[in-house]
Amino acid sequence: MKKVINAPGRVVEEMLRGMELAHPGLLRLIPEQNVIVRADAPIRNKVALISGGGSGHEPTHGGYVGPGMLDAACAGAVFTSPTPEQMLEASKAVDGGAGVFYVIKNYTGDVLNFEMAGELAEAEEIQTDYVVVNDDVAVEDSTFTSGRRGIAGTVFVHKICGAAADDGKDLAGIKELAERVNANVRSMGMSLTSCVPPESGEPIFEIGDDEMEIGMGIHGEPGIERKNIEPADQIVDDLLQKILGDNVDFTSSGDVAVMVNGLGGTPLMELYIAYACVADILKREGVNIYKMPYVGEYMTSLEMAGFSITLLKLDEEMKGYLEAPCDVAAGRPF
Amino acid sequence: MKKVINAPGRVVEEMLRGMELAHPGLLRLIPEQNVIVRADAPIRNKVALISGGGSGHEPTHGGYVGPGMLDAACAGAVFTSPTPEQMLEASKAVDGGAGVFYVIKNYTGDVLNFEMAGELAEAEEIQTDYVVVNDDVAVEDSTFTSGRRGIAGTVFVHKICGAAADDGKDLAGIKELAERVNANVRSMGMSLTSCVPPESGEPIFEIGDDEMEIGMGIHGEPGIERKNIEPADQIVDDLLQKILGDNVDFTSSGDVAVMVNGLGGTPLMELYIAYACVADILKREGVNIYKMPYVGEYMTSLEMAGFSITLLKLDEEMKGYLEAPCDVAAGRPF
């Protein structure tokens, strides 16, 4: 296993410490809890947004904590759900009296634990609600999931609902908006290699030197097809046909936000090549790309090579919130 | 070779097209030249900054084109210098009458070609000057270089001189500032894997499953030592001792900008783990880190796993320009 780490069992703690050290004034770490919190939390009378999940998807989720996005992120062990206790501590740290909203990616452990955390928080007089994001069109039911998995489309929920919370929307309004974003966002990915979780030190799956996996999950869950590598434009066409063939009408009038998300090991060169294919195919299909697409690493799988495509059909309210300023670690290259 | 590409011989053209499509209003491509230019160039009476080099280091250089940084970037083939003709076309496209300044990483081909481009531009009445950045402390003389190589510290030259040009500094002033930044910036890297250039489809070097290379170049040039992988804190200590032992006094009073730069295949998790080590060691050594460090992928080597560390000793003028706003593709995650 080739990694820049000190000890496989301490990667999450050391990473979070590095994040806190790298972003003084923006982030603080709740000691012993592996929870990253906005340095200025709680914000009085603002709905607080919390997300979280297994580590290994950076900058998801800690990289999205800050003004205009999340109030807290709960980091589980690599590819392992955080605990209800972590989520409760996060809730207590960020609740400003207007309630706490959980953005949950659809994995069974995440959903169960956030639901339990919500009950514990309610017992402490903190109002809670949540959305379960399930944007991945690849498969129904998977290794860790009942229904569809939640992947990179979740970042749009963070961005749009984070701006809405800043704008004063109440808990019921955030819930409605989050459900609306989730109803209009669809994603699908592909991989060329497995990633290697630090604790096991072994790849999650074996894959041939000339093979790719279409529709795999961000924890290496099986996809829908294993086949020989194809040219980028063919791969992109496959992913987009499955996304466009789902039940959101991206081709009618209106604008669509587009994300080409690298999974960790794929260089930016290839993401831009893939984006050129995406732009060509969406033009052919009559899909109107809204302003600037999102090309980069938003939700990774450690060092997995591959990428995902996400489309979000926008309404006017979503556009405003998508463009609102935010200040988060993942958005601070300079 | 596992890559999301259409054809090995077209990766640069297709990547640049993807960049242009992804950033309408910010970037435009000069057809047939593989030159990315600020959409609003030329800017009258502003010194124009141009950089460039072989492709495969994205977001370097095209990702740094835009207000507050570069006016143009010349993309060579992968790991191959751009031509004087590209550089001349870039110069003609962005000169606003105040001259053109070339930021050159120290590789023999890049230096020779930019020098020739400068002569060609002068013949067309465009004033030019340049800096050769040589921040890599690892080795003197290398496969493609006489003297020290230029690596990730170059991004600080782009940022600081780009802001200075926006601020109205003239060509002589930009030259002096660029030389001052170069005199105060030092870097060194390490790798766990080779990268695979698309045209050859083969790794540049072989490396064992338990080995790492200390001080290699961003084109896979040999470093100073091949040894068994060590814990992150030991690796960071090795790199920092070499940087701190060089001829810039980072430990005296004053502030130091710090960059932990991923080479493409190393996940953000590991970069933050490395940054925690950097912060601890610099504290122990009495180096004062200025505000927010730069942790991410700034100058990559395709999908190489590994990272580099850069330190820049700042003066007050550099601080102001480092913090000035900029709007470039690499700085636009949201």
Side-chain angles (χ1 to χ4, degrees), chain B residues 106-120:
Chain B
N106 190 30
Y107 299 98
T108 304
D110 290 16
V111 175
L112 287 174
N113 289 358
F114 269 113
E115 283 178 345
M116 187 175 301
E119 290 173 21
L120 295 169

Side-chain angles (χ1 to χ4, degrees), chain A residues 200-279:
Chain A
S200 74
E202 299 295 331
I204 291 177
F205 57 86
E206 296 299 323
I207 183 164
D209 280 347
D210 54 355
E211 286 183 322
M212 62 179 179
E213 175 90 10
I214 300 289
M216 85 296 143
I218 56 171
H219 314 93
E221 305 95 316
I224 51 178
E225 195 176 6
R226 174 74 60 98
K227 57 181 172 179
N228 285 339
I229 297 180
E230 293 171 346
D233 51 13
Q234 186 59 52
I235 297 170
V236 168
D237 199 46
D238 278 4
L239 298 180
L240 281 177
Q241 291 314 321
K242 183 94 172 145
I243 291 170
L244 294 175
D246 206 65
N247 63 345
V248 177
D249 182 5
F250 291 107
T251 59
S252 64
S253 65
D255 293 313
V256 174
V258 175
M259 178 182 286
V260 174
N261 169 59
L263 292 174
T266 284
L268 191 54
M269 168 183 277
E270 296 173 40
L271 299 182
Y272 275 121
I273 290 172
Y275 178 69
C277 304
V278 169

Side-chain angles (χ1 to χ4, degrees), chain A residues 80-156:
Chain A
T80 302
S81 299
T83 64
E85 186 196 353
Q86 287 177 276
M87 299 162 181
L88 175 63
E89 291 304 319
S91 303
K92 291 197 285 192
V94 300
D95 177 46
V100 169
F101 189 76
Y102 302 137
V103 182
I104 312 170
K105 297 194 302 309
N106 190 31
Y107 300 98
T108 304
D110 290 17
V111 175
L112 287 175
N113 289 358
F114 269 113
E115 283 178 344
M116 187 177 301
E119 290 173 22
L120 296 169
E122 300 270 351
E124 303 209 18
E125 315 270 297
I126 298 172
Q127 266 194 291
T128 70
D129 210 333
Y130 66 86
V131 68
V132 177
V133 182
N134 59 351
D135 54 314
D136 187 348
V137 301
V139 295
E140 296 288 331
D141 304 333
S142 188
T143 320
F144 310 113
T145 318
S146 166
R148 287 178 167 186
R149 300 175 296 223
I151 58 172
T154 310
V155 178
F156 283 131

